[in-house]
């Protein structure tokens, strides 16, 4: 009983003695550990991580039992194992660093095109995908979010046009020279077409997925983009987000998913001056887009 009381007493003393720098230090370590766990879950590193944990446990047991030679050998194997993990997962580590480098970590005003009629763009895309699905027309549409897609944009043909159902259907028409590539929608506008996307390196993907689906998944693995795939063989509509593919979506589910991923969080009815101006700007831009479409 006394040991438990002493434990809590020492814990409270440590908490009282903690300053701002100590709390910040703990938060940074927690974020790093959380990111590391997420990285392991998103990649094929689960078995490797379990092996390293077992190796570390064996090393601790050997050290506690004073097995000097065994401990020395396990330490060498463990250090080589860490180096081997870095080499084996170099592509995944590189992609993670690219995400960090391209993200707008310090954006305080939200999405740049949050007020530029996102609802209009979503509905035009949904209508186009429904028509292309019925006609068995393959399509690959990428919505850029925080991560900048400079390389895929540079590989395509600049368009810079308002998003419309007819424009998307014309681009992916099988006689169009741009139908094999991807369309990238940036800040509410159709930025480029015929873009080349990186293929997924995930070995556990289903064998029935074609190049279009693998390219969509690969793009979502390397960025936070929302990627829409319309299958030419089945006419099914799929969406890839964060390396996960949601297939055979119904029109209602497809629209709801796009709204959840692309629309900003609902703003309170009673907001300040900035909130009211942002909402007014979005309504004005929506009206302008409709007028131009007509």
């Amino acid at each position: 009983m006394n040991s438990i009381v002493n434990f809590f007493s020492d814990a409270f003393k440590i908490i009282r003695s903690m300053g701002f720098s100590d709390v910040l230090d703990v938060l940074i370590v927690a974020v790093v550990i959380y990111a590391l766990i997420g990285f392991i879950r998103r990649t094929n590193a689960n078995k490797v991580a379990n092996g390293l944990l077992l190796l570390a446990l064996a090393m601790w047991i050997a050290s506690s039992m004073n097995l000097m030679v065994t401990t020395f050998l396990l330490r060498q194997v463990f250090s080589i194992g860490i180096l081997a993990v870095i080499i084996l997962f170099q592509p995944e580590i590189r992609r993670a660093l690219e995400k960090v480098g391209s993200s707008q970590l310090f954006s305080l005003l939200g999405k740049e095109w949050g007020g530029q009629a996102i609802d209009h763009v979503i509905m035009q895309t949904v209508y186009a995908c429904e028509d292309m699905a019925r006609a068995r027309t393959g399509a690959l549409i990428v919505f850029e979010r925080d991560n900048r897609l400079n390389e895929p944009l540079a590989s395509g043909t600049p368009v810079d046009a308002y998003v419309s159902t007819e424009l998307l259907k014309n681009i992916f028409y099988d006689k169009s020279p741009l139908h094999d590539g991807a369309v990238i929608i940036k800040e509410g506008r159709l930025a480029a077409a015929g873009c080349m996307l990186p293929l997924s390196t995930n070995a556990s993907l289903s064998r029935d997925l074609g190049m279009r689906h693998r390219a969509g998944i690969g793009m979502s693995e390397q960025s936070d983009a929302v990627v829409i795939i319309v299958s030419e063989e089945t006419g099914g509509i799929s969406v890839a987000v964060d390396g996960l593919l949601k297939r055979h979506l119904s029109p209602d589910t497809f629209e709801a998913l796009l709204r959840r991923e692309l629309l900003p969080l609902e703003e309170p009815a009673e907001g300040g001056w900035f909130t009211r101006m942002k909402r007014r700007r979005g309504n004005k831009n929506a009206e302008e887009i409709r007028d131009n479409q007509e």
Side-chain angles (χ1 to χ4, degrees):
M1 185 66 181
N2 290 333
S3 60
I4 297 176
V5 173
N6 291 334
F7 171 78
F8 283 106
S9 177
D10 294 338
F12 284 129
K13 288 180 181 178
I14 293 173
I15 293 173
R16 282 196 224 102
S17 64
M18 290 178 64
F20 174 76
S21 59
D22 299 318
V23 175
L24 182 61
D25 192 20
V26 172
L27 287 176
I28 291 173
V29 173
V31 169
V32 171
I33 294 175
Y34 177 81
L36 183 61
I37 293 174
F39 171 77
I40 292 174
R41 291 181 61 184
R42 287 193 302 270
T43 62
N44 297 323
N46 292 333
K47 295 181 179 179
V48 176
N50 292 336
L52 289 176
L53 287 175
L54 289 175
L55 192 60
L57 179 62
M59 188 169 58
W60 176 79
I61 294 174
S63 178
S64 62
M65 296 178 64
N66 294 322
L67 304 177
M68 306 302 295
V69 176
T70 303
T71 302
F72 173 78
L73 292 176
L74 288 175
R75 283 178 180 172
Q76 301 304 313
V77 172
F78 188 79
S79 61
I80 295 173
I82 295 293
L83 181 61
V85 168
I86 295 175
I87 295 174
L88 287 174
F89 292 96
Q90 182 268 336
E92 286 81 1
I93 295 173
R94 178 180 60 81
R95 286 197 293 266
L97 293 176
E98 286 178 352
K99 277 189 178 183
V100 173
S102 61
S103 297
Q104 294 181 325
L105 298 177
F106 302 102
S107 176
L108 299 177
L109 298 179
K111 298 182 180 180
E112 293 182 10
W113 60 293
Q116 297 185 9
I118 309 176
D119 183 74
H120 168 85
V121 176
I122 291 175
M123 292 311 302
Q124 293 296 309
T125 304
V126 170
Y127 295 151
C129 290
E130 289 179 4
D131 290 345
M132 290 187 290
R134 282 192 291 267
R136 300 290 179 90
T137 300
L140 190 55
I141 304 172
V142 181
F143 280 89
E144 182 189 80
R145 293 200 282 187
D146 289 337
N147 296 153
R148 292 293 173 250
L149 309 179
N150 296 329
E151 291 184 12
L153 281 169
S155 68
T157 301
V159 179
D160 191 23
Y162 287 114
V163 178
S164 69
T165 299
E166 295 304 321
L167 177 59
L168 289 171
K169 290 165 62 177
N170 286 334
I171 288 176
F172 290 110
Y173 176 62
D174 59 1
K175 298 297 190 295
S176 168
L178 301 176
H179 78 280
D180 278 335
V183 158
I184 296 181
I185 297 175
K186 176 179 181 178
E187 297 177 8
R189 294 179 65 84
L190 200 157
C195 302
M196 298 295 103
L197 304 183
L199 296 178
S200 174
T201 58
N202 188 348
S204 62
L205 291 178
S206 174
R207 292 177 178 270
D208 64 344
L209 293 178
M211 298 292 287
R212 187 176 282 114
H213 287 81
R214 293 179 182 274
I217 297 172
M219 188 75 266
S220 70
E221 288 174 346
Q222 298 190 18
S223 69
D224 64 347
V226 177
V227 186
I228 302 168
I229 307 104
V230 179
S231 173
E232 188 174 357
E233 289 76 19
T234 65
I237 300 176
S238 306
V239 176
V241 181
D242 293 330
L244 300 177
L245 182 68
K246 300 179 181 180
R247 306 180 63 186
H248 308 300
L249 300 175
S250 66
D252 291 340
T253 304
F254 174 48
E255 180 183 346
L257 194 154
L258 288 186
R259 290 181 178 278
R260 185 175 70 247
E261 295 293 340
L262 298 175
L263 283 173
L265 296 177
E266 290 293 331
E267 297 171 348
E270 296 297 331
W273 175 84
F274 178 77
T275 301
R276 291 196 300 272
M277 289 298 295
K278 186 176 180 182
R279 189 182 297 114
R280 187 179 304 168
R281 179 188 173 194
N283 294 335
K284 181 179 179 181
N285 288 333
E287 293 175 0
E288 291 178 354
I289 289 175
R290 294 191 195 100
D291 292 341
N292 284 321
Q293 291 297 327
E294 292 174 356

